[in-house]
Amino acid sequence: MITQLQRLRHLHQERGWSFDAVRSLNPPHELVELIYSFCHSEWLDVLRVKSDTDAQAGRFLVESVVDGRRPQACWLVTGTLCDVLDGLDQLPPPTSRLAPRLLLPAIVR
């Protein structure tokens, strides 16, 4: 049972996050996890929820996710669903000067 349903509903309905429910392959096709995502042009925020005590969120460079490479994250959090949602609430938009940045190695010429 997930106790933070109101906060999850707010992400989806009020903040415009996409939502997918992942079900097990075998009957009775039980709910395995919930996945929420929101794309900010070149950044993708993702929230994975397995239970109240098992959740993860991250901000990834979109091109690293769609190219099939190892996803490049500039921010990650793991823990209880409440803690992860608190982290997402405090995460500034990618355009903010306070937003986490991805440090890339310099090109040697």
Side-chain angles (χ1 to χ4, degrees), residues 45-58:
D45 289 350
V46 178
L47 167 65
R48 295 178 66 200
V49 180
K50 290 189 177 185
S51 70
D52 272 338
T53 58
D54 188 359
Q56 302 171 326

Side-chain angles (χ1 to χ4, degrees), residues 25-88:
L25 297 176
N26 300 322
H29 306 293
E30 295 176 344
L31 185 63
V32 176
E33 69 182 349
L34 304 173
I35 298 177
Y36 293 81
S37 62
F38 187 81
C39 189
H40 316 258
S41 93
E42 65 186 61
W43 295 101
L44 177 67
D45 289 350
V46 178
L47 167 65
R48 295 178 66 200
V49 180
K50 290 189 177 185
S51 70
D52 272 338
T53 58
D54 188 359
Q56 302 171 326
R59 178 168 286 167
F60 301 91
L61 195 57
V62 168
E63 72 180 33
S64 72
V65 176
V66 297
D67 288 347
R69 298 182 291 167
R70 183 171 181 239
Q72 294 179 306
C74 67
W75 178 85
L76 294 169
V77 65
T78 301
T80 67
L81 178 56
C82 186
D83 290 341
V84 170
L85 286 171
D86 287 347
L88 278 172

Side-chain angles (χ1 to χ4, degrees), residues 85-105:
L85 286 171
D86 287 347
L88 278 172
D89 286 344
Q90 296 169 12
L91 182 64
T95 55
S96 168
R97 66 178 183 80
L98 300 174
R101 300 282 182 242
L102 188 61
L103 296 177
L104 299 173

